[in-house]
Amino acid sequence: QVLESGGGSVQAGGSLRLTCLASGYTSSNTCMGWFRQALGKEREHVAHVGTDGNLRYADAVKGRFTVSKDTEKNTAYLQMNNLQPEDTGMYYCAARDYCLRDYGPEEWPYWGQGTQVTVSS
């Protein structure tokens, strides 16, 4: 099971922190990532923490978003700073057994239900 929390509405320039808790099947190799989907658009990768600890970000969020993971708590975080209207969308947490490269959404087997992020100008 994957469960996200922390979404909300902010003005441009504001910050939000998303939290994702994974349970039931996790191990030290479990990879947890964040995706988002704007209305009418495809789901896109935002960031993830690889099995080797490598942090990967989409170009659109580099320098503004920070992904992290607490392995002992099976929890991942996405700190989002300087949010912009184009960051608006449903944010999903996903998990897979390991990550050694970038993976498309179809390659992540476990998904949360999503949490809405709305940024107004």
Side-chain angles (χ1 to χ4, degrees):
Q1 183 179 4
V2 177
L3 183 63
E4 311 96 335
S5 62
S9 297
V10 296
Q11 291 189 331
S15 298
L16 286 171
R17 188 192 196 206
L18 305 183
T19 300
C20 173
L21 174 64
S23 60
Y25 51 83
T26 57
S27 72
S28 59
N29 292 327
T30 298
C31 180
M32 298 174 74
W34 293 95
F35 291 75
R36 67 186 181 186
Q37 188 166 17
L39 196 63
K41 295 188 177 181
E42 295 185 352
R43 192 170 298 188
E44 63 178 2
H45 173 263
V46 175
H48 75 263
V49 182
T51 299
D52 57 1
N54 195 22
L55 307 181
R56 301 299 297 265
Y57 296 96
D59 289 342
V61 307
K62 284 180 180 177
R64 301 188 297 123
F65 291 12
T66 303
V67 63
S68 60
K69 179 188 170 188
D70 185 329
T71 300
E72 289 188 1
K73 295 182 179 179
N74 297 323
T75 301
Y77 306 94
L78 185 67
Q79 177 65 44
M80 304 184 294
N81 297 329
N82 191 22
L83 283 160
Q84 300 300 314
E86 53 266 33
D87 295 316
T88 294
M90 187 70 76
Y91 281 68
Y92 297 91
C93 181
R96 51 175 290 123
D97 290 340
Y98 62 89
C99 287
L100 298 177
R101 58 173 174 85
D102 288 344
Y103 298 85
E106 68 281 0
E107 297 177 279
W108 295 72
Y110 308 109
W111 289 86
Q113 293 188 337
T115 184
Q116 179 68 35
V117 171
T118 302
V119 185
S120 57
S121 57

